[in-house]
Amino acid sequence: MSVTATPSRYVKLRRDLHQIPETGFQEFKTQQYLLDYISTLPQEHIEIRTWKTGVLVNVRGTQPQKRLGYRADMDGLPIQEDTGYDFRSKHPGYMHACGHDLHMAIGLGILTHFASHPVQDHLTFIFQPAEEGPGGAKPMLESEELKDWMPDEIFALHIAPEYPVGTIATKPGILFANTSELFIDLTGKGGHAAFPHNANDMVIAACQLVGQLQTVIARNVNPLDSAVITIGKIDGGTKQNIIAEKARLEGTIRTLSADTMTLVKSRIEALVHGLETAFACQAHIDYGSNYLQVYNEEKITSEFMQWVRETQQSYHIDLIECKEAMTGEDFGYFLESIPGFMFWLGVGTPYGLHHAKIEPDERSIDLAIGLMTRYLTWKSNR
Ligand SMILES: [Zn+2]
Ligand SMILES: [Zn+2]
Protein backbone atom coordinates (compact mmCIF):
# COMPACT_ATOMS: atom_id res chain seq x y z
CA MET A 1 0.00 0.00 0.00
CA SER A 2 1.40 3.39 -0.88
CA VAL A 3 1.28 6.21 1.61
CA THR A 4 -1.45 8.66 0.68
CA ALA A 5 -1.80 12.28 1.73
CA THR A 6 -4.26 13.12 4.47
CA PRO A 7 -7.69 13.28 2.81
CA SER A 8 -9.27 16.71 2.52
CA ARG A 9 -12.39 17.54 4.47
CA TYR A 10 -14.61 16.65 1.51
CA VAL A 11 -12.76 13.46 0.62
CA LYS A 12 -13.45 12.42 4.20
CA LEU A 13 -17.17 13.21 3.76
CA ARG A 14 -17.16 11.09 0.61
CA ARG A 15 -15.54 8.19 2.44
CA ASP A 16 -18.09 8.41 5.26
CA LEU A 17 -20.96 8.42 2.75
CA HIS A 18 -19.36 5.60 0.80
CA GLN A 19 -19.76 3.33 3.81
CA ILE A 20 -23.54 3.76 4.10
CA PRO A 21 -24.99 3.18 0.60
CA GLU A 22 -28.79 2.97 0.58
CA THR A 23 -31.20 2.42 -2.30
CA GLY A 24 -33.97 4.70 -3.58
CA PHE A 25 -36.09 6.31 -0.85
CA GLN A 26 -34.27 4.28 1.79
CA GLU A 27 -31.53 6.91 2.22
CA PHE A 28 -32.29 7.42 5.92
CA LYS A 29 -28.73 7.27 7.27
CA THR A 30 -27.49 9.26 4.29
CA GLN A 31 -30.09 11.97 4.90
CA GLN A 32 -29.16 12.12 8.58
CA TYR A 33 -25.48 12.36 7.69
CA LEU A 34 -26.16 15.30 5.37
CA LEU A 35 -28.35 17.05 7.95
CA ASP A 36 -25.73 16.54 10.68
CA TYR A 37 -23.02 17.99 8.48
CA ILE A 38 -25.14 20.94 7.31
CA SER A 39 -25.98 21.76 10.96
CA THR A 40 -22.25 22.42 11.55
CA LEU A 41 -22.24 25.21 8.91
CA PRO A 42 -22.92 28.87 9.74
CA GLN A 43 -26.73 29.09 9.81
CA GLU A 44 -27.38 32.82 9.30
CA HIS A 45 -27.79 32.65 5.51
CA ILE A 46 -29.28 29.18 5.10
CA GLU A 47 -32.57 27.34 5.59
CA ILE A 48 -32.96 23.57 5.49
CA ARG A 49 -35.90 21.41 4.47
CA THR A 50 -36.36 17.69 3.97
CA TRP A 51 -38.48 16.00 1.34
CA LYS A 52 -38.87 12.23 1.86
CA THR A 53 -35.24 11.07 2.20
CA GLY A 54 -33.92 14.13 0.33
CA VAL A 55 -32.55 17.40 1.64
CA LEU A 56 -33.07 20.94 0.32
CA VAL A 57 -31.02 23.93 1.38
CA ASN A 58 -31.71 27.56 0.54
CA VAL A 59 -28.81 30.01 0.67
CA ARG A 60 -30.37 33.47 0.78
CA GLY A 61 -28.92 35.89 -1.74
CA THR A 62 -27.71 39.36 -0.79
CA GLN A 63 -29.46 41.18 -3.68
CA PRO A 64 -31.37 38.43 -5.41
CA GLN A 65 -32.42 38.75 -9.04
CA LYS A 66 -32.80 35.03 -9.69
CA ARG A 67 -32.29 31.64 -8.10
CA LEU A 68 -29.59 29.19 -9.16
CA GLY A 69 -29.85 25.47 -8.37
CA TYR A 70 -27.34 22.70 -7.83
CA ARG A 71 -28.42 19.06 -7.64
CA ALA A 72 -26.65 15.97 -6.28
CA ASP A 73 -28.17 12.50 -6.19
CA MET A 74 -27.95 10.34 -3.07
CA ASP A 75 -28.65 6.66 -3.65
CA GLY A 76 -26.40 3.61 -3.92
CA LEU A 77 -26.88 0.33 -5.80
CA PRO A 78 -27.53 -3.33 -4.90
CA ILE A 79 -23.97 -4.37 -5.76
CA GLN A 80 -21.52 -6.28 -3.55
CA GLU A 81 -18.47 -4.04 -3.30
CA ASP A 82 -15.15 -5.48 -4.51
CA THR A 83 -12.78 -2.52 -4.12
CA GLY A 84 -9.53 -2.44 -2.18
CA TYR A 85 -10.82 0.42 0.01
CA ASP A 86 -10.39 0.35 3.76
CA PHE A 87 -13.58 2.46 3.89
CA ARG A 88 -15.66 -0.16 2.09
CA SER A 89 -19.47 -0.29 2.31
CA LYS A 90 -20.76 -1.36 5.70
CA HIS A 91 -24.04 -2.46 4.09
CA PRO A 92 -23.49 -5.96 2.67
CA GLY A 93 -24.76 -6.21 -0.90
CA TYR A 94 -24.94 -2.43 -1.38
CA MET A 95 -22.43 -0.04 -2.83
CA HIS A 96 -21.98 3.50 -4.06
CA ALA A 97 -20.92 2.29 -7.51
CA CYS A 98 -22.26 5.25 -9.50
CA GLY A 99 -20.36 7.98 -7.71
CA HIS A 100 -23.32 9.49 -5.89
CA ASP A 101 -21.11 9.55 -2.76
CA LEU A 102 -18.77 11.89 -4.64
CA HIS A 103 -21.73 13.89 -5.98
CA MET A 104 -22.97 14.51 -2.42
CA ALA A 105 -19.51 15.37 -1.07
CA ILE A 106 -19.06 17.87 -3.91
CA GLY A 107 -22.52 19.35 -3.24
CA LEU A 108 -21.66 19.73 0.45
CA GLY A 109 -18.35 21.36 -0.46
CA ILE A 110 -20.02 23.95 -2.68
CA LEU A 111 -22.72 24.56 -0.06
CA THR A 112 -20.05 25.01 2.63
CA HIS A 113 -18.48 27.83 0.65
CA PHE A 114 -21.73 29.68 -0.02
CA ALA A 115 -23.07 29.24 3.52
CA SER A 116 -20.25 31.61 4.59
CA HIS A 117 -20.03 33.62 1.36
CA PRO A 118 -23.53 34.15 0.00
CA VAL A 119 -23.75 35.69 -3.47
CA GLN A 120 -26.31 38.11 -4.90
CA ASP A 121 -28.70 35.44 -6.08
CA HIS A 122 -30.50 32.85 -4.04
CA LEU A 123 -29.10 29.34 -4.30
CA THR A 124 -31.01 26.07 -3.91
CA PHE A 125 -29.04 22.94 -3.11
CA ILE A 126 -30.96 19.78 -3.93
CA PHE A 127 -29.88 16.44 -2.51
CA GLN A 128 -32.15 14.10 -4.44
CA PRO A 129 -32.95 10.51 -3.49
CA ALA A 130 -33.72 7.55 -5.73
CA GLU A 131 -31.93 8.45 -8.97
CA GLU A 132 -31.22 4.80 -9.77
CA GLY A 133 -34.90 4.03 -9.31
CA PRO A 134 -37.77 4.44 -8.92
CA GLY A 135 -36.84 8.07 -9.69
CA GLY A 136 -36.79 10.94 -7.21
CA ALA A 137 -36.46 13.91 -9.55
CA LYS A 138 -40.02 13.96 -10.89
CA PRO A 139 -41.88 13.73 -7.56
CA MET A 140 -39.39 16.14 -5.96
CA LEU A 141 -40.10 18.72 -8.67
CA GLU A 142 -43.81 18.40 -7.91
CA SER A 143 -43.31 18.70 -4.15
CA GLU A 144 -44.49 21.59 -1.96
CA GLU A 145 -41.06 21.72 -0.35
CA LEU A 146 -39.32 22.75 -3.56
CA LYS A 147 -42.04 25.09 -4.86
CA ASP A 148 -40.82 28.44 -3.47
CA TRP A 149 -37.16 27.47 -3.82
CA MET A 150 -37.54 26.44 -7.48
CA PRO A 151 -34.38 27.44 -9.36
CA ASP A 152 -34.45 29.55 -12.54
CA GLU A 153 -31.36 27.70 -13.77
CA ILE A 154 -29.98 24.37 -12.58
CA PHE A 155 -26.70 22.47 -12.80
CA ALA A 156 -25.39 19.01 -11.97
CA LEU A 157 -22.47 16.75 -12.76
CA HIS A 158 -21.88 13.02 -13.04
CA ILE A 159 -18.58 11.24 -12.53
CA ALA A 160 -17.02 9.78 -15.69
CA PRO A 161 -14.54 6.91 -15.26
CA GLU A 162 -13.28 7.26 -18.84
CA TYR A 163 -11.92 10.81 -18.48
CA PRO A 164 -8.83 11.67 -16.42
CA VAL A 165 -9.03 13.96 -13.42
CA GLY A 166 -9.01 17.55 -14.60
CA THR A 167 -11.11 16.82 -17.68
CA ILE A 168 -14.78 17.68 -17.83
CA ALA A 169 -17.03 16.97 -20.78
CA THR A 170 -20.40 18.13 -21.94
CA LYS A 171 -22.29 19.41 -24.99
CA PRO A 172 -25.25 21.63 -25.79
CA GLY A 173 -28.44 19.72 -26.57
CA ILE A 174 -29.02 16.06 -25.82
CA LEU A 175 -26.46 14.53 -23.43
CA PHE A 176 -28.19 11.39 -22.12
CA ALA A 177 -30.84 9.21 -23.68
CA ASN A 178 -34.50 8.60 -22.98
CA THR A 179 -34.65 5.36 -21.02
CA SER A 180 -37.29 2.88 -20.00
CA GLU A 181 -37.15 -0.39 -18.16
CA LEU A 182 -38.83 -3.33 -19.88
CA PHE A 183 -40.35 -6.37 -18.18
CA ILE A 184 -42.28 -8.95 -20.20
CA ASP A 185 -44.06 -11.83 -18.48
CA LEU A 186 -45.21 -14.77 -20.59
CA THR A 187 -47.66 -17.38 -19.35
CA GLY A 188 -48.39 -20.58 -21.30
CA LYS A 189 -49.00 -24.15 -20.16
CA GLY A 190 -46.44 -26.36 -18.41
CA GLY A 191 -46.11 -30.09 -18.92
CA HIS A 192 -43.91 -33.18 -19.24
CA ALA A 193 -40.81 -32.58 -21.36
CA ALA A 194 -41.69 -35.62 -23.50
CA PHE A 195 -45.22 -34.37 -24.35
CA PRO A 196 -44.73 -30.95 -25.96
CA HIS A 197 -48.04 -31.24 -27.83
CA ASN A 198 -49.93 -31.14 -24.52
CA ALA A 199 -48.11 -28.07 -23.26
CA ASN A 200 -47.36 -24.52 -24.35
CA ASP A 201 -43.67 -23.81 -23.95
CA MET A 202 -42.73 -20.31 -22.78
CA VAL A 203 -38.98 -20.91 -23.14
CA ILE A 204 -39.50 -21.23 -26.90
CA ALA A 205 -41.76 -18.18 -26.94
CA ALA A 206 -39.23 -16.13 -24.94
CA CYS A 207 -36.35 -17.11 -27.21
CA GLN A 208 -38.32 -16.08 -30.31
CA LEU A 209 -39.26 -12.79 -28.73
CA VAL A 210 -35.67 -11.90 -27.80
CA GLY A 211 -34.66 -12.21 -31.45
CA GLN A 212 -37.75 -10.38 -32.72
CA LEU A 213 -37.17 -7.44 -30.37
CA GLN A 214 -33.86 -6.69 -32.09
CA THR A 215 -35.71 -6.28 -35.40
CA VAL A 216 -37.37 -3.18 -33.95
CA ILE A 217 -33.94 -1.54 -33.82
CA ALA A 218 -32.83 -2.94 -37.19
CA ARG A 219 -36.08 -2.41 -39.15
CA ASN A 220 -38.26 0.22 -37.45
CA VAL A 221 -35.86 2.84 -36.12
CA ASN A 222 -34.43 5.27 -38.67
CA PRO A 223 -30.78 4.25 -39.16
CA LEU A 224 -29.75 7.88 -38.69
CA ASP A 225 -31.49 7.91 -35.31
CA SER A 226 -30.31 5.75 -32.40
CA ALA A 227 -31.98 3.24 -30.10
CA VAL A 228 -31.03 0.23 -28.01
CA ILE A 229 -33.06 -2.67 -26.66
CA THR A 230 -31.11 -4.86 -24.25
CA ILE A 231 -32.59 -7.92 -22.61
CA GLY A 232 -30.29 -8.37 -19.64
CA LYS A 233 -32.05 -11.21 -17.89
CA ILE A 234 -34.27 -14.19 -18.75
CA ASP A 235 -36.10 -16.31 -16.21
CA GLY A 236 -38.14 -19.31 -17.24
CA GLY A 237 -39.21 -22.76 -16.23
CA THR A 238 -38.49 -24.82 -13.16
CA LYS A 239 -36.50 -27.91 -14.16
CA GLN A 240 -34.69 -29.45 -17.12
CA ASN A 241 -37.41 -32.05 -17.87
CA ILE A 242 -40.46 -29.85 -17.41
CA ILE A 243 -41.85 -27.63 -20.15
CA ALA A 244 -41.85 -24.07 -18.89
CA GLU A 245 -45.21 -22.56 -18.09
CA LYS A 246 -43.78 -19.12 -17.41
CA ALA A 247 -40.94 -16.99 -18.69
CA ARG A 248 -39.90 -13.44 -17.91
CA LEU A 249 -37.66 -11.10 -19.88
CA GLU A 250 -36.04 -8.12 -18.18
CA GLY A 251 -34.39 -5.37 -20.14
CA THR A 252 -34.02 -1.72 -20.94
CA ILE A 253 -34.83 0.58 -23.86
CA ARG A 254 -32.70 3.62 -24.74
CA THR A 255 -33.51 6.18 -27.43
CA LEU A 256 -32.10 9.55 -28.41
CA SER A 257 -35.50 11.11 -28.97
CA ALA A 258 -38.73 10.93 -27.04
CA ASP A 259 -40.64 10.17 -30.27
CA THR A 260 -38.43 7.15 -30.96
CA MET A 261 -39.20 5.85 -27.46
CA THR A 262 -42.92 5.98 -28.33
CA LEU A 263 -42.26 4.21 -31.63
CA VAL A 264 -40.11 1.48 -30.06
CA LYS A 265 -42.68 0.81 -27.35
CA SER A 266 -45.52 0.55 -29.85
CA ARG A 267 -43.50 -1.92 -31.96
CA ILE A 268 -42.66 -4.00 -28.88
CA GLU A 269 -46.36 -4.08 -27.99
CA ALA A 270 -47.26 -5.22 -31.52
CA LEU A 271 -44.66 -8.01 -31.44
CA VAL A 272 -45.78 -9.18 -28.00
CA HIS A 273 -49.41 -9.12 -29.13
CA GLY A 274 -48.43 -11.22 -32.14
CA LEU A 275 -46.57 -13.63 -29.87
CA GLU A 276 -49.75 -14.12 -27.82
CA THR A 277 -51.57 -15.17 -30.98
CA ALA A 278 -48.72 -17.31 -32.32
CA PHE A 279 -48.08 -19.18 -29.09
CA ALA A 280 -51.58 -19.02 -27.57
CA CYS A 281 -50.11 -17.55 -24.44
CA GLN A 282 -50.72 -14.52 -22.24
CA ALA A 283 -48.19 -11.73 -22.15
CA HIS A 284 -47.87 -8.73 -19.88
CA ILE A 285 -45.58 -5.76 -20.43
CA ASP A 286 -44.41 -3.47 -17.64
CA TYR A 287 -42.17 -0.49 -18.45
CA GLY A 288 -41.03 0.01 -14.85
CA SER A 289 -39.33 3.35 -14.42
CA ASN A 290 -38.87 5.70 -17.36
CA TYR A 291 -36.42 8.58 -17.53
CA LEU A 292 -36.63 11.54 -19.83
CA GLN A 293 -33.58 12.56 -21.84
CA VAL A 294 -31.01 14.94 -20.33
CA TYR A 295 -31.19 17.96 -22.60
CA ASN A 296 -28.64 20.71 -21.96
CA GLU A 297 -30.07 24.15 -22.75
CA GLU A 298 -27.94 25.37 -25.66
CA LYS A 299 -27.23 28.96 -24.67
CA ILE A 300 -26.37 28.36 -21.00
CA THR A 301 -24.27 25.30 -21.84
CA SER A 302 -22.30 27.03 -24.60
CA GLU A 303 -21.69 29.98 -22.28
CA PHE A 304 -20.44 27.61 -19.55
CA MET A 305 -18.15 25.80 -21.99
CA GLN A 306 -16.68 29.07 -23.17
CA TRP A 307 -16.21 30.26 -19.57
CA VAL A 308 -14.37 27.03 -18.69
CA ARG A 309 -12.10 27.30 -21.72
CA GLU A 310 -11.29 30.94 -21.11
CA THR A 311 -10.89 30.99 -17.33
CA GLN A 312 -10.32 27.54 -15.86
CA GLN A 313 -7.07 26.36 -17.44
CA SER A 314 -5.07 27.90 -14.61
CA TYR A 315 -7.05 25.62 -12.28
CA HIS A 316 -5.99 22.62 -14.39
CA ILE A 317 -9.44 22.03 -15.84
CA ASP A 318 -9.76 21.04 -19.48
CA LEU A 319 -13.08 20.86 -21.24
CA ILE A 320 -13.93 18.59 -24.11
CA GLU A 321 -17.11 18.56 -26.14
CA CYS A 322 -18.33 14.98 -25.93
CA LYS A 323 -20.93 13.00 -27.83
CA GLU A 324 -24.28 12.06 -26.34
CA ALA A 325 -24.48 8.74 -24.45
CA MET A 326 -27.16 6.08 -24.12
CA THR A 327 -27.05 6.30 -20.34
CA GLY A 328 -30.09 7.61 -18.48
CA GLU A 329 -30.38 10.14 -15.66
CA ASP A 330 -33.46 11.46 -13.95
CA PHE A 331 -31.88 14.92 -13.86
CA GLY A 332 -33.58 15.09 -17.27
CA TYR A 333 -36.83 15.94 -15.45
CA PHE A 334 -35.22 19.00 -13.90
CA LEU A 335 -33.92 20.09 -17.30
CA GLU A 336 -37.36 19.59 -18.86
CA SER A 337 -38.74 22.53 -16.88
CA ILE A 338 -35.61 24.44 -15.79
CA PRO A 339 -32.86 25.50 -18.21
CA GLY A 340 -29.37 24.33 -17.28
CA PHE A 341 -26.97 21.52 -17.92
CA MET A 342 -25.18 18.45 -16.66
CA PHE A 343 -21.53 17.64 -17.32
CA TRP A 344 -19.21 14.67 -16.94
CA LEU A 345 -16.49 14.96 -14.31
CA GLY A 346 -13.37 12.92 -15.08
CA VAL A 347 -12.44 10.50 -12.28
CA GLY A 348 -10.01 8.33 -14.33
CA THR A 349 -10.57 4.73 -13.25
CA PRO A 350 -10.45 1.51 -15.34
CA TYR A 351 -13.81 0.23 -14.09
CA GLY A 352 -17.06 1.67 -15.35
CA LEU A 353 -20.10 3.02 -13.58
CA HIS A 354 -22.04 0.34 -11.68
CA HIS A 355 -18.92 -1.88 -11.44
CA ALA A 356 -18.10 -3.53 -8.10
CA LYS A 357 -14.44 -2.47 -8.41
CA ILE A 358 -14.90 1.18 -9.36
CA GLU A 359 -12.51 3.48 -7.43
CA PRO A 360 -12.99 7.06 -8.66
CA ASP A 361 -9.96 9.32 -8.26
CA GLU A 362 -10.80 11.46 -5.23
CA ARG A 363 -8.74 14.42 -6.44
CA SER A 364 -11.77 15.15 -8.62
CA ILE A 365 -13.78 16.15 -5.53
CA ASP A 366 -11.93 19.34 -4.54
CA LEU A 367 -11.46 20.17 -8.19
CA ALA A 368 -15.22 20.05 -8.85
CA ILE A 369 -16.00 22.02 -5.70
CA GLY A 370 -13.62 24.76 -6.85
CA LEU A 371 -15.02 24.76 -10.37
CA MET A 372 -18.66 25.02 -9.36
CA THR A 373 -17.98 27.53 -6.60
CA ARG A 374 -16.29 29.82 -9.12
CA TYR A 375 -18.99 29.20 -11.74
CA LEU A 376 -21.96 29.92 -9.44
CA THR A 377 -20.24 33.05 -8.14
CA TRP A 378 -19.61 34.24 -11.71
CA LYS A 379 -23.16 33.32 -12.76
CA SER A 380 -24.72 35.18 -9.86
CA ASN A 381 -22.81 38.38 -10.51
CA ARG A 382 -24.12 38.58 -14.06
ZN1 LIG B 1 -26.05 4.85 -11.97
ZN1 LIG C 1 -25.39 7.90 -11.32
Side-chain angles (χ1 to χ4, degrees):
M1 246 339 263
S2 62
V3 180
T4 49
T6 319
S8 83
R9 181 180 187 183
Y10 305 111
V11 169
K12 195 179 161 302
L13 295 182
R14 182 262 163 161
R15 292 182 181 184
D16 286 349
L17 289 162
H18 187 80
Q19 294 176 55
I20 52 166
E22 298 165 295
T23 53
F25 293 125
Q26 302 300 310
E27 303 95 335
F28 301 108
K29 289 187 203 171
T30 307
Q31 182 186 46
Q32 194 56 52
Y33 185 91
L34 298 180
L35 292 171
D36 288 347
Y37 176 79
I38 295 165
S39 75
T40 67
L41 300 176
Q43 301 290 302
E44 53 272 32
H45 306 293
I46 67 172
E47 292 165 82
I48 304 156
R49 285 179 193 163
T50 58
W51 172 80
K52 295 195 178 195
T53 48
V55 177
L56 294 163
V57 184
N58 173 37
V59 182
R60 279 186 301 273
T62 53
Q63 288 175 303
Q65 308 244 326
K66 58 184 180 300
R67 179 179 283 280
L68 303 173
Y70 185 82
R71 174 272 203 177
D73 42 10
M74 298 169 65
D75 50 333
L77 287 155
I79 292 175
Q80 180 63 44
E81 180 162 353
D82 192 19
T83 65
Y85 286 155
D86 57 10
F87 52 90
R88 233 166 276 139
S89 167
K90 287 183 178 148
H91 296 169
Y94 294 92
M95 177 185 177
H96 269 296
C98 201
H100 301 183
D101 47 346
L102 283 88
H103 299 170
M104 285 185 280
I106 292 164
L108 290 175
I110 304 167
L111 171 61
T112 301
H113 173 84
F114 289 112
S116 310
H117 307 92
V119 284
Q120 283 181 15
D121 289 327
H122 294 309
L123 303 176
T124 301
F125 286 83
I126 299 169
F127 294 92
Q128 179 218 301
E131 192 283 323
E132 301 285 358
K138 203 164 180 243
M140 202 173 200
L141 272 160
E142 289 159 3
S143 72
E144 281 300 314
E145 287 80 354
L146 185 55
K147 216 174 221 167
D148 55 323
W149 292 353
M150 194 65 83
D152 299 303
E153 293 182 26
I154 192 160
F155 316 104
L157 58 80
H158 202 293
I159 65 158
E162 64 272 35
Y163 299 121
V165 174
T167 296
I168 64 166
T170 191
K171 70 183 279 286
I174 189 156
L175 185 70
F176 294 170
N178 295 270
T179 73
S180 172
E181 294 178 337
L182 174 63
F183 303 99
I184 303 172
D185 283 294
L186 304 175
T187 307
K189 190 173 167 218
H192 194 289
F195 302 103
H197 54 292
N198 293 334
N200 192 5
D201 188 350
M202 289 305 101
V203 163
I204 298 279
C207 290
Q208 295 250 338
L209 184 58
V210 170
Q212 284 177 12
L213 289 175
Q214 293 310 318
T215 67
V216 175
I217 305 300
R219 300 290 88 176
N220 299 122
V221 174
N222 182 331
L224 297 179
D225 192 2
S226 291
V228 175
I229 299 175
T230 292
I231 299 298
K233 185 177 175 193
I234 303 181
D235 265 335
T238 48
K239 196 168 182 291
Q240 129 282 345
N241 62 354
I242 300 172
I243 287 172
E245 182 168 308
K246 287 178 189 294
R248 177 176 168 87
L249 309 182
E250 300 188 4
T252 179
I253 312 165
R254 310 283 163 118
T255 70
L256 279 190
S257 79
D259 286 350
T260 305
M261 179 61 77
T262 307
L263 168 77
V264 167
K265 283 184 175 175
S266 79
R267 290 304 305 149
I268 290 173
E269 284 153 27
L271 288 175
V272 168
H273 188 66
L275 193 86
E276 282 183 310
T277 309
F279 286 84
C281 63
Q282 280 90 51
H284 180 258
I285 301 176
D286 175 3
Y287 291 117
S289 61
N290 289 248
Y291 287 170
L292 195 70
Q293 63 197 14
V294 171
Y295 195 90
N296 287 340
E297 200 275 336
E298 283 89 350
K299 203 165 150 269
I300 296 170
T301 310
S302 303
E303 182 198 62
F304 168 72
M305 293 171 75
Q306 195 184 348
W307 174 82
V308 174
R309 285 187 176 124
E310 285 173 4
T311 65
Q312 299 301 296
Q313 293 219 329
S314 54
Y315 299 99
H316 307 287
I317 294 169
D318 284 324
L319 179 131
I320 57 174
E321 181 157 358
C322 60
K323 286 210 178 306
E324 54 272 37
M326 282 298 189
T327 43
E329 241 290 351
D330 75 347
F331 187 58
Y333 289 105
F334 283 100
L335 291 181
E336 184 188 24
S337 51
I338 308 168
F341 58 82
M342 175 171 251
F343 66 89
W344 290 111
L345 174 72
V347 294
T349 164
Y351 297 101
L353 299 173
H354 295 201
H355 196 288
K357 286 181 187 287
I358 187 172
E359 293 186 11
D361 190 324
E362 292 175 322
R363 289 175 300 170
S364 59
I365 294 171
D366 286 341
L367 203 119
I369 294 168
L371 172 73
M372 289 316 287
T373 301
R374 292 187 293 276
Y375 178 65
L376 291 170
T377 304
W378 178 76
K379 232 9 227 184
S380 169
N381 291 332
R382 286 165 59 79

